[in-house]
Amino acid sequence: MQHNTLKLSTLAILIAGATSANAAVYKVVEIDADPTVASRDYFPENVDQNKARSQIEYHGQGISPSADGENCFVSGGCSSDNYQVFGESRFGAEGLRMRDVVPFISDNYQEINDEDRLYRYCDRNLGPNTCDTWARSEFYGKGYNTNDIGDRSGLGGLVREQEAWTKNFYANSQALLTNGNQFSVVETFASDSANYSASAALGDLVADRETSNSVVTHVGDLSGQPYELGIASSAYFGKDGRYARQFAKRGFVNVNSSPLSLGAVSSANELTKTAGQSLAFDAVEFDGKLLVVGSASFAPSDFRDSDLKVPNNRSDRGDPTFSDSTFRECANLFSTSPDSFYSTKECQLSVFANDAVFWTVDGSSANNAEANLLSKRVDKNGNTYQTFDPDNNDRSYQAGARAVALVSGKPVVVGFTTDSVDKTSIDEADKDYYAIRASVWELPDGSTTASSESFTRKIIPGLDIEDGGGERKLTYSIATDVNENNKVIGVAKNYLVDNRSYSERMFVYDNNNPSASPTFLDSSISSLFFKGANGYAAAINNNDQIVGRLDAESVNQVDGRFRRQRAFTYVMSDIPGSAALKKGDVYLLDDLTNDGVVKGDVANQYRIFEATGINDAGVISATAYKCEGGYDDLTKESFCQGGASNVERIVAVKLVPIDAAQSPSVESRPTQEASIERSGGGSLGVLALTVLGWLGFRRRK
């Protein structure tokens, strides 16, 4: 039986219903699905293929840059077809998170690899009383059979990758880029066995299905040649009855459709170069070449640390199990021969220490490019950061560059680095334990070229991991984007509960004033940034407009439920030509797309839960829930078809500013007077919880 308690402000609904259809700031443009994605086979074991394909999701992850002077806010602004959206399809739970240097960027342990550790991560970092369900969904797949978890009817999930050794693998994430307003699959180096240095040891490339997951992280133009970059997993190879892959993740660049693999650090040993990972996140044209930034392996993590690196799976559910002692021998097996390494199941679990890097691409390279370190791994006193935490080898050095911008013609890179922490220490290599901290890398004064270790690293001040008494304050901090004005945005994850949430707080750091502390986005800026709110500042354009996602309610998350989140924008400076958005404005994007029409129109079919990119013309990439034909009313919390099950879809969208000639204006959506209580087949609440689990408070760049 379904029970709903729904109290709405009747006057607010009537007023909203009478609003002119022009009352909006952005037009919502849905990105059409690529038919080839839905026609592919997915995991066949106990999975209804037709039902599964209907549940494929499409996520918008970024927008192509605009040219100088382009502005969609002014009269005659932009066509809905302008600017490419990039993103990916997803089939069920994501499994190995393609954009994470280490799982969930939660710590330097690299330990979140089974159901129990997923549960502990959720319990300690997110806090709801549904962590057991969340962990099982992440591991066994979306919609797993609660009566028989081992039947593998769940969609996606980490267990699929761990059991690929005997069952092979079906890709569940495909990189996509729009042609017009329809997605097309982005091909990568991963489908060609010639791009694998260990192909002889691996065997024959599986060619009858797609086995490589992929995502796009940036698109642009290099001297007239279009390019896209991102991350792909290794394809699987078959040999002697088993299936193995060479590495977990590898960055890629396609310049004018010519694929290029981005490898590990050039100075690494052969094991790291062969099996190590890399991730490419952003790029700018500098010194006549494409400067790509990201993360890459420079050394193996400690193979002796099998307690954390080897999953503790359940054989009674049919889960793959692994030998700790065999895992500890993987480095020796590789030194004996790659054949020994790749014929050993446990060596597929290999993980690595990673650092922030760059690659230079000129459009003519082929096959593979090796990574250059952005900076030396030394602290402010010249002491070297060791590969492993000096006090405890279970933590390893981890760092990654997330974004780059040209500031006064020189690249400024932002992301995260590893620091050794003791109370309020900063940039010291020999303290208590390793932790992840937001960082900036810049070329020194007088330097005009980028070469290996030529950047200087700066840990952003004012984001202390511990307080002066040694009590933990933050789990981590990460810089997520930077613009040409040298404004850096990012997030800092609270270690302790704040207003019933382990909140992930957003910040802005002015790198023009390097000694200043970041400014947190809090209630002094807008009531939307309430105390204890979780947020993710995803992107900032050169007009200082920020987009991301934000808690849209303040219910108890610790020992409660996942909070509903929505996409937001914060306008830090005046937007040229904008009639509706002014400096200091903070809005949920649902309020800026509301045109006052309940049914028979476009806008009320969407509730936008994540904004991921914004270009200087003002066009935003995002992901939304869609209710075909429109939600039941205009409220932020509205049901779809009365709360029926499985009627919403997750779709990629592009938000195009409505130009000044159409008199755009803001008409905030009405809100319910009381929260919704219900049992039985839910719509928005259940789907929102699932998506929050996939988001995992991580960066999508």
Side-chain angles (χ1 to χ4, degrees):
M1 176 179 138
Q2 179 171 304
H3 171 68
N4 296 332
T5 301
L6 182 61
K7 294 178 66 178
L8 299 174
S9 169
T10 305
L11 179 60
I13 296 296
L14 291 173
I15 292 172
T19 302
S20 165
N22 288 329
V25 178
Y26 291 97
K27 176 183 178 181
V28 183
V29 180
E30 182 179 343
I31 308 302
D32 294 331
D34 181 348
T36 63
V37 171
S39 67
R40 287 178 172 169
D41 287 334
Y42 293 91
F43 294 101
E45 185 178 13
N46 292 335
V47 171
D48 182 334
Q49 290 291 310
N50 291 328
K51 180 181 177 181
R53 289 168 183 152
S54 70
Q55 297 184 45
I56 295 173
E57 301 169 0
Y58 294 88
H59 292 248
Q61 300 289 11
I63 193 78
S64 63
S66 53
D68 290 344
E70 293 181 338
N71 187 342
C72 295
F73 288 98
V74 301
S75 297
C78 298
S79 163
S80 297
D81 293 333
N82 290 153
Y83 309 112
Q84 291 181 289
V85 172
F86 57 86
E88 72 250 12
S89 61
R90 289 194 204 158
F91 175 73
E94 196 173 356
L96 185 70
R97 293 170 179 263
M98 294 298 293
R99 289 177 171 82
D100 286 357
V101 175
V102 294
F104 298 94
I105 314 293
S106 62
D107 212 326
N108 298 61
Y109 284 118
Q110 300 173 291
E111 66 172 345
I112 305 175
N113 53 22
D114 58 34
E115 182 196 336
D116 287 341
R117 288 161 183 160
L118 282 161
Y119 172 83
R120 286 200 296 271
Y121 162 78
C122 178
D123 185 57
R124 295 172 183 176
N125 294 274
L126 307 180
N129 56 23
T130 54
C131 280
D132 53 347
T133 301
W134 179 89
R136 288 176 181 175
S137 181
E138 286 288 305
F139 193 70
Y140 293 108
K142 179 183 176 183
Y144 68 91
N145 186 345
T146 57
N147 297 315
D148 181 11
I149 294 178
D151 77 351
R152 295 300 185 267
S153 59
L155 308 182
L158 182 57
V159 72
R160 299 286 192 179
E161 302 193 41
Q162 294 182 0
E163 65 188 11
W165 186 261
T166 56
K167 295 185 177 181
N168 207 337
F169 188 74
Y170 291 70
N172 62 356
S173 174
Q174 289 294 281
L176 303 171
L177 179 63
T178 55
N179 179 11
N181 283 322
Q182 181 173 33
F183 273 138
S184 296
V185 171
V186 174
E187 302 297 337
T188 75
F189 72 91
S191 60
D192 186 350
S193 61
N195 294 323
Y196 295 86
S197 60
S199 58
L202 288 163
D204 296 323
L205 181 79
V206 175
D208 63 341
R209 68 178 66 92
E210 184 63 60
T211 63
S212 170
N213 289 328
S214 57
V215 298
V216 179
T217 55
H218 183 70
V219 299
D221 182 274
L222 173 63
S223 301
Q225 301 180 83
Y227 70 84
E228 58 266 358
L229 59 89
I231 307 153
S233 65
S234 168
Y236 279 83
F237 292 72
K239 186 177 184 179
D240 300 330
R242 52 82 174 153
Y243 299 94
R245 61 186 179 190
Q246 182 175 324
F247 45 78
K249 305 172 190 176
R250 192 61 57 94
F252 72 84
V253 177
N254 297 338
V255 179
N256 209 17
S257 301
S258 178
L260 176 66
S261 170
L262 302 175
V265 175
S266 58
S267 59
N269 65 18
E270 199 58 36
L271 167 59
T272 304
K273 287 184 178 181
T274 304
Q277 71 176 28
S278 67
L279 298 86
F281 282 108
D282 201 4
V284 292
E285 187 171 351
F286 177 66
D287 198 22
K289 296 180 180 180
L290 191 65
L291 180 75
V292 180
V293 300
S295 174
S297 301
F298 67 88
S301 291
D302 192 354
F303 281 102
R304 296 169 298 175
D305 182 30
S306 58
D307 289 345
L308 295 179
K309 305 299 187 289
V310 176
N312 185 21
N313 287 340
R314 292 172 169 82
S315 58
D316 61 329
R317 296 178 180 171
D319 299 353
T321 57
F322 301 88
S323 165
D324 285 31
S325 59
T326 302
F327 175 78
R328 290 193 288 268
E329 289 300 314
C330 282
N332 294 330
L333 288 173
F334 187 88
S335 64
T336 300
S337 75
D339 293 73
S340 300
F341 182 87
Y342 284 112
S343 62
T344 303
K345 176 177 66 172
E346 284 74 9
C347 299
Q348 293 283 287
L349 303 172
S350 300
V351 289
F352 296 82
N354 300 283
D355 205 348
V357 300
F358 71 93
W359 300 266
T360 53
V361 178
D362 61 10
S364 63
S365 304
N367 297 325
N368 183 65
E370 293 185 329
N372 301 284
L373 293 172
L374 279 169
S375 63
K376 297 180 182 295
R377 278 186 299 279
V378 296
D379 67 7
K380 62 186 178 184
N381 302 311
N383 298 317
T384 299
Y385 288 88
Q386 302 300 315
T387 301
F388 308 132
D389 188 325
D391 289 339
N392 197 336
N393 285 350
D394 55 6
R395 288 186 175 103
S396 55
Y397 193 98
Q398 303 293 336
R402 290 302 185 94
V404 59
L406 294 179
V407 178
S408 300
K410 296 174 65 173
V412 173
V413 184
V414 303
F416 67 93
T417 191
T418 288
D419 195 20
S420 188
V421 176
D422 180 18
K423 298 180 180 178
T424 58
S425 66
I426 186 169
D427 198 14
E428 294 184 74
D430 53 359
K431 295 298 181 181
D432 192 18
Y433 60 91
Y434 277 175
I436 287 172
R437 307 185 77 159
S439 301
V440 177
W441 291 265
E442 298 174 275
L443 288 176
D445 291 341
S447 178
T448 58
T449 60
S451 57
S452 184
E453 300 182 338
S454 61
F455 288 75
T456 57
R457 182 193 75 159
K458 176 181 64 183
I459 296 173
I460 294 177
L463 300 171
D464 292 338
I465 298 293
E466 294 183 346
D467 63 21
E471 294 296 319
R472 190 82 181 253
K473 294 170 56 180
L474 298 178
T475 302
Y476 58 78
S477 61
I478 302 172
T480 57
D481 202 8
V482 59
N483 68 9
E484 293 178 4
N485 304 321
N486 224 2
K487 299 291 194 303
V488 180
I489 60 173
V491 293
K493 177 71 171 175
N494 273 10
Y495 185 77
L496 301 175
V497 174
D498 182 16
N499 192 19
R500 303 167 296 170
S501 169
Y502 295 104
S503 58
E504 189 168 47
R505 296 182 293 159
M506 300 177 286
F507 66 80
V508 178
Y509 173 65
D510 187 354
N511 195 43
N512 296 304
N513 186 8
S515 62
S517 294
T519 298
F520 283 101
L521 305 190
D522 58 23
S523 59
S524 67
I525 296 171
S526 169
S527 60
L528 290 179
F529 301 136
F530 61 85
K531 181 177 173 59
N534 289 286
Y536 199 95
I540 181 171
N541 68 8
N542 293 320
N543 293 320
D544 293 341
Q545 184 177 358
I546 298 171
V547 297
R549 66 177 188 265
L550 176 69
D551 282 352
E553 57 184 353
S554 59
V555 299
N556 186 10
Q557 180 156 304
V558 173
D559 295 325
R561 62 172 173 80
F562 283 108
R563 290 174 177 170
R564 177 173 50 88
Q565 290 197 318
R566 289 291 183 266
F568 81 95
T569 186
Y570 170 32
V571 183
M572 291 178 57
S573 301
D574 286 326
I575 301 174
S578 174
L581 297 181
K582 302 300 180 184
K583 180 178 179 180
D585 284 348
V586 181
Y587 287 106
L588 297 182
L589 289 177
D590 281 344
D591 289 327
L592 301 183
T593 61
N594 178 27
D595 61 9
V597 179
V598 178
K599 298 291 183 179
D601 198 42
V602 174
N604 197 44
Q605 294 186 94
Y606 304 95
R607 294 295 183 267
I608 304 163
F609 65 82
E610 182 178 29
T612 52
I614 181 169
N615 62 23
D616 293 344
V619 182
I620 298 171
S621 59
T623 309
Y625 306 113
K626 182 181 182 182
C627 179
E628 199 71 46
Y631 283 89
D632 295 354
D633 56 62
L634 292 174
T635 63
K636 297 177 172 69
E637 306 89 348
S638 176
F639 286 110
C640 177
Q641 299 181 21
S645 299
N646 300 320
V647 292
E648 291 172 295
R649 295 187 295 116
I650 291 178
V651 299
V653 296
K654 174 168 55 177
L655 304 185
V656 181
I658 295 172
D659 70 50
Q662 299 181 48
S663 302
S665 61
V666 179
E667 186 66 43
S668 296
R669 292 185 181 276
T671 58
Q672 295 171 355
E673 291 181 347
S675 60
I676 299 171
E677 300 174 11
R678 63 181 171 190
S679 60
S683 168
L684 184 57
V686 174
L687 186 55
L689 184 151
T690 304
V691 172
L692 282 170
W694 288 329
L695 291 175
F697 301 99
R698 78 210 192 293
R699 164 66 170 137
R700 301 178 183 271
K701 172 69 182 170

